[in-house]
Amino acid sequence: MAGARGRASLGRCWLGGKGGGWAGGSPACGIISSLCFMPAGLKRWLSSAAPAPRVCVVGSGPAGFYTAQHILKHHGGAQVDIYEKLPVPFGLVRFGVAPDHPEVKNVTNSFTQTARSERCAYYGNVTVGRDVTVPELQQAYHAVVLSYGAEDNRVLGIPGENLPGVLSARAFVGWYNGLPENRHLKPDLSCETALILGHGNVALDIARILLAPLPLLRKTDITAGSLAALACSKVKRVWLVGRRGPLQVAFTIKELREMINLPGTRPVLSPADFTGLENAIKDAPRPRKRLTELMIKTALEKPVEKPVEVQAAAAREWGLKFQRSPQEVLPSADGTRVRAVRMALTRLEGSGDSAKAIPTGDVEDLECGLVLSSIGYRSLPLDPAVPFDAQRGVIPNTSGRVEGVPGLYCSGWVKRGPTGVIITTMNDSFDTAQSVLEDLQVGTLDVSSSREGFGAVESILRSRGVRPVSFSDWEKIDAAEVARGRAAGKPREKIVDPQEMLQLVGH
Ligand code: FAD
């Protein structure tokens, strides 16, 4: 039952939004969809002298903000404090979403409104699990919601994976998006061919950034350092390689179309990969059907969008390779870096999403000078006091209620695993918020005694030498970034060094 009301309202938003890609529906969706119900229990609470429920949220990505937004909207007395380990908010909206997709980042406008609410506070520069523990937060708040995302990546687990020239997609994305921990990455872009392992939207984002004409990137908030490196890049060919077939790709049509239409590049799809697929998709769900039709059209027909001579003149190319599973990263002759990836060719057993890739016994070496492994993000355990399912990489929960720990909740990627767009994250964050509201209503969450909230946490942080960054501090950093960007003709120039951010706000 938890979240059913939230989900019903979201259904309307999904239909109303543009849909069909990373970006999903309208960013304003979260606000519009909120329901103006006021359960009797809350009305009773408002007219009673009970202390205000104090809720804290760990993580300021979409999950953290949407959870806070929903609780504040539907509980007139709740106070929500958001803790974030970086000085700056918004998680993967700032550090994941591709710089050339600025419209997706508009969700930060509604997050900013939430953060400016009198009943919401933001404390950046606080790493939960290190600067303050989860049990300490539980002492200070009536409810604690963990929304700390998925900050690690899955590994290939094959020989040669640690050779120079092999990078995780997470690190590469963090580098071009100004994630402080990746600011020194310095990917070597002196080779002509890059291999991206994975057939998801992150893989397509990376291929696009590697091949996009510089004038397109210059107008974005991509960091100055990565723009300079891309300006000297020799990469002119990108292969996206997947273990399974065209019917199993995980990217969406909007991102594929964008790649097909990328100026100065040419798609190279092998017609043999697509023969006979028209029949196979006859009864497929519409999004899969349209996506496959676009791949077939691109592989089999002469492109209509770009004149043939433009295609021929395209200096750069990209393509999809199917049914190849990486077995080993092969070193250059002097052993100093990657030369190729040995692929096990596969056949598919079963069909649709559940098809399995079985090695045929044949192998093929794909030459390349850069390997980007885009096989998924992964959440990590935060605190010994919090149960964690290491196998699935999630906090075990029921509708966001952490199993066996009353008063502890989770939302977003750490709740359901690292898949889904911002709208999906919004959906399940509202579900979790709904669980908190219901537990407040039925009394599972005991608010009869008051909790000190940040007052208690502040003294813990001070004793450990940690100085939080407030939302108005972030707004100063934001203004500085926007001003630097304006000078360079971009929406913002991100500050990539946390020390510089802290200096800016007088820490
Ligand atoms: P996150 O966004 O990762 O937020 C988690 C937050 O918790 C971070 O700010 C982190 O710093 C903080 N945190 C971590 N540990 C701690 C700690 N110990 N203490 C305090 N704070 C902590 N979706 C779209 O709709 N459109 C797109 O174009 C799009 N592009 C994407 C591109 C990439 C490369 C990726 C990886 C994802 C993309 N997504 C996109 C998906 C979208 O980003 C996710 O659905 C969403 O960000 C998940 O939200 P989250 O809050 O669970 O995690």
Side-chain angles (χ1 to χ4, degrees):
M1 268 312 285
R5 287 168 289 199
R7 270 199 299 272
S9 68
L10 283 164
R12 289 197 295 274
C13 276
W14 276 77
L15 292 173
K18 290 199 177 73
W22 262 133
S26 148
C29 210
I31 297 173
I32 297 163
S33 70
S34 292
L35 296 175
C36 297
F37 77 95
M38 170 85 66
L42 295 188
K43 280 191 189 137
R44 265 201 311 281
W45 176 86
L46 280 173
S47 58
S48 76
R54 286 189 174 271
V55 179
C56 101
V57 170
V58 177
S60 70
F65 267 106
Y66 281 125
T67 306
Q69 197 176 86
H70 199 78
I71 292 174
L72 291 167
K73 181 101 183 172
H74 298 298
H75 195 302
Q79 167 80 38
V80 181
D81 293 345
I82 301 176
Y83 290 90
E84 165 60 50
K85 78 172 193 179
L86 292 166
V88 295
F90 308 141
L92 284 170
V93 179
R94 177 177 165 106
F95 295 117
V97 172
D100 58 341
H101 285 170
E103 70 289 351
V104 178
K105 300 181 192 217
N106 288 340
V107 288
T108 60
N109 297 333
S110 88
F111 299 164
T112 298
Q113 274 179 32
T114 301
R116 285 182 182 157
S117 150
E118 279 183 353
R119 292 185 292 117
C120 185
Y122 168 82
Y123 301 107
N125 197 34
V126 178
T127 301
V128 172
R130 185 194 69 186
D131 300 336
V132 57
T133 66
V134 172
E136 285 166 339
L137 289 176
Q138 287 172 292
Q139 286 282 312
Y141 292 88
H142 294 107
V144 175
V145 186
L146 302 172
S147 314
Y148 64 87
E151 291 217 300
D152 201 6
N153 52 271
R154 290 177 56 205
V155 293
L156 294 164
I158 58 172
E161 181 166 12
N162 297 321
L163 272 173
V166 184
L167 298 172
S168 72
R170 194 185 63 83
F172 191 75
V173 168
W175 169 72
Y176 64 65
N177 273 328
L179 185 63
E181 69 177 78
N182 299 126
R183 67 189 190 278
H184 302 305
L185 191 72
K186 294 195 175 49
D188 183 348
L189 305 176
S190 63
C191 61
E192 290 198 348
T193 304
L195 218 64
I196 303 178
L197 304 172
H199 275 167
N201 277 333
V202 176
L204 278 185
D205 277 355
I206 292 177
R208 210 174 58 249
I209 296 297
L210 278 172
L211 296 179
L214 277 191
L216 283 187
L217 294 179
R218 273 200 197 101
K219 291 184 290 195
T220 73
D221 69 2
I222 192 167
T223 60
S226 46
L227 192 61
L230 287 164
C232 303
S233 169
K234 297 274 183 297
V235 176
K236 60 177 194 181
R237 185 175 310 106
V238 176
W239 294 117
L240 298 105
V241 191
R243 284 182 306 134
R244 303 190 292 167
L247 295 181
Q248 286 80 31
V249 295
F251 48 72
T252 40
I253 194 162
K254 175 178 171 286
E255 278 65 26
L256 177 67
R257 191 175 292 123
E258 212 176 344
M259 197 67 214
I260 291 169
N261 294 334
L262 192 66
T265 65
R266 184 166 78 88
V268 183
L269 303 189
S270 164
D273 288 329
F274 299 93
T275 38
L277 283 193
E278 280 103 338
N279 270 340
I281 54 167
K282 261 193 201 135
D283 300 321
R286 195 171 138 75
R288 171 69 64 192
K289 202 169 167 194
R290 290 181 57 225
L291 176 66
T292 312
E293 281 167 357
L294 180 58
M295 285 189 280
I296 295 174
K297 175 170 169 267
T298 310
L300 302 182
E301 292 176 6
K302 290 231 177 322
V304 286
E305 292 93 343
K306 296 179 190 171
V308 174
E309 59 276 15
V310 173
Q311 288 283 319
R316 298 173 164 197
E317 60 186 22
W318 64 275
L320 299 168
K321 287 192 182 285
F322 301 102
Q323 294 185 225
R324 286 163 170 83
S325 172
Q327 272 204 324
E328 184 178 355
V329 181
L330 304 172
S332 54
D334 60 3
T336 57
R337 54 175 301 108
V338 52
R339 171 182 66 80
V341 178
R342 177 152 301 160
M343 297 285 176
L345 303 190
T346 67
R347 63 180 170 80
L348 293 189
E349 208 172 83
S351 60
D353 284 346
S354 56
K356 285 199 163 53
I358 312 289
T360 61
D362 293 328
V363 296
E364 178 192 58
D365 292 350
L366 290 179
E367 301 287 324
C368 58
L370 176 66
V371 178
L372 294 149
S373 137
S374 183
I375 56 169
Y377 283 52
R378 196 168 68 100
S379 295
L380 295 173
L382 181 70
D383 189 303
V386 181
F388 191 77
D389 180 340
Q391 187 78 31
R392 294 173 52 227
V394 295
I395 297 174
N397 70 91
T398 311
S399 294
R401 297 176 178 94
V402 176
E403 279 172 19
V405 193
L408 194 60
Y409 301 82
C410 58
S411 65
W413 276 15
V414 74
K415 170 187 174 186
R416 61 161 207 284
T419 56
V421 294
I422 293 170
I423 299 283
T424 330
T425 299
M426 175 178 83
N427 203 355
D428 88 43
S429 302
F430 284 2
D431 246 13
T432 294
Q434 202 66 28
S435 295
V436 174
L437 293 170
E438 285 180 8
D439 290 353
L440 279 171
Q441 194 183 353
V442 301
T444 321
L445 265 180
D446 181 12
V447 291
S448 58
S449 59
S450 64
R451 299 286 169 99
E452 247 194 288
F454 181 66
V457 176
E458 188 177 25
S459 43
I460 294 172
L461 294 177
R462 197 178 310 118
S463 73
R464 293 174 188 160
V466 180
R467 287 181 70 184
V469 165
S470 67
F471 201 75
S472 56
D473 286 338
W474 147 247
E475 290 182 311
K476 285 181 202 150
I477 298 172
D478 182 38
E481 289 187 345
V482 170
R484 290 179 194 190
R486 196 174 301 124
K490 347 167 33 178
R492 73 172 60 237
E493 186 58 63
K494 285 181 190 167
I495 298 171
V496 297
D497 181 353
Q499 287 313 316
E500 195 183 340
M501 294 176 185
L502 295 177
Q503 271 164 18
L504 248 171
V505 298
H507 277 34

